Amino acid sequence: MYGHPVKSTCTHLDLVADVDPGEDVCPACVAIDSSWLHLRQCRICGNTACCDTSLNKHATAHFRDTGHPIMRTLEADQDWSWCFIDEETLEQDADGRWRSIDGFFDAGVWFARGLLADGTASLPFAAEATAGEGFPLGVWEATYRRRHRDGTIDPEQAAELESLPGWRW
Ligand SMILES: [Zn+2]
Ligand SMILES: [Zn+2]
Ligand SMILES: [Zn+2]
């Protein structure tokens, strides 16, 4: 479990089926005598394939070939899914509700808290402000301010921003 969950906007979740457990190899890599780094499983048909940091990227190839949009990690210590179409990282809570993980929001909050705590910066951040190794802090702030204006921001995210010292809408 990582990140801050928000309501998912993915419209493909009703395609998710009960599939058999994944395999412990990428069959497409085995067939061409190749190797892989991490395994993913299609949540529509159960196909096991390798991740995008693997040489052959068979999970993405499976999506392109079949249009099956949702896959999950088969890494033992992880439990997340990914929608290729919405480019959304998803997790399912104990009640079966799907939530989206917004890594961009979490990273920005983390950087903002650090800078505000040690007095290196104050709100509002400059539009071109960056943090860490080039994280676009100004763009991050503008993104969630825009969502707030549009009324599309997740309420938990709004509350978290309001808890930053000096935050004003
Ligand atoms: Zn989707
Ligand atoms: Zn593969
Ligand atoms: Zn599939």
Side-chain angles (χ1 to χ4, degrees), residues 82-89:
W82 168 256
C83 177
F84 285 102
I85 297 172
D86 293 297
E87 300 191 333
E88 211 177 316
T89 305

Side-chain angles (χ1 to χ4, degrees), residues 133-144:
E133 291 177 16
F135 181 85
L137 201 59
V139 172
W140 169 83
E141 182 181 342
T143 299
Y144 294 95

Side-chain angles (χ1 to χ4, degrees), residues 10-12 83 86:
C10 173
T11 55
H12 309 100
C83 177
D86 293 297

Side-chain angles (χ1 to χ4, degrees), residues 10 12 40-44 49-52 57-64 66-72 80-90:
C10 173
H12 309 100
R40 309 290 184 238
Q41 183 182 32
C42 176
R43 299 206 62 167
I44 319 304
C50 54
C51 69
D52 273 0
K57 303 177 171 53
H58 281 128
T60 293
H62 177 74
F63 163 63
R64 274 201 238 97
T66 63
H68 293 169
I70 315 253
M71 61 87 154
R72 69 171 159 220
W80 51 264
S81 296
W82 168 256
C83 177
F84 285 102
I85 297 172
D86 293 297
E87 300 191 333
E88 211 177 316
T89 305
L90 302 152

Side-chain angles (χ1 to χ4, degrees), residues 8 19 43 52 62 65 70 83 89 106 111 150 154 165 168:
S8 172
V19 294
R43 299 206 62 167
D52 273 0
H62 177 74
D65 291 347
I70 315 253
C83 177
T89 305
D106 295 333
F111 281 123
D150 295 346
D154 184 88
R168 259 174 240 99

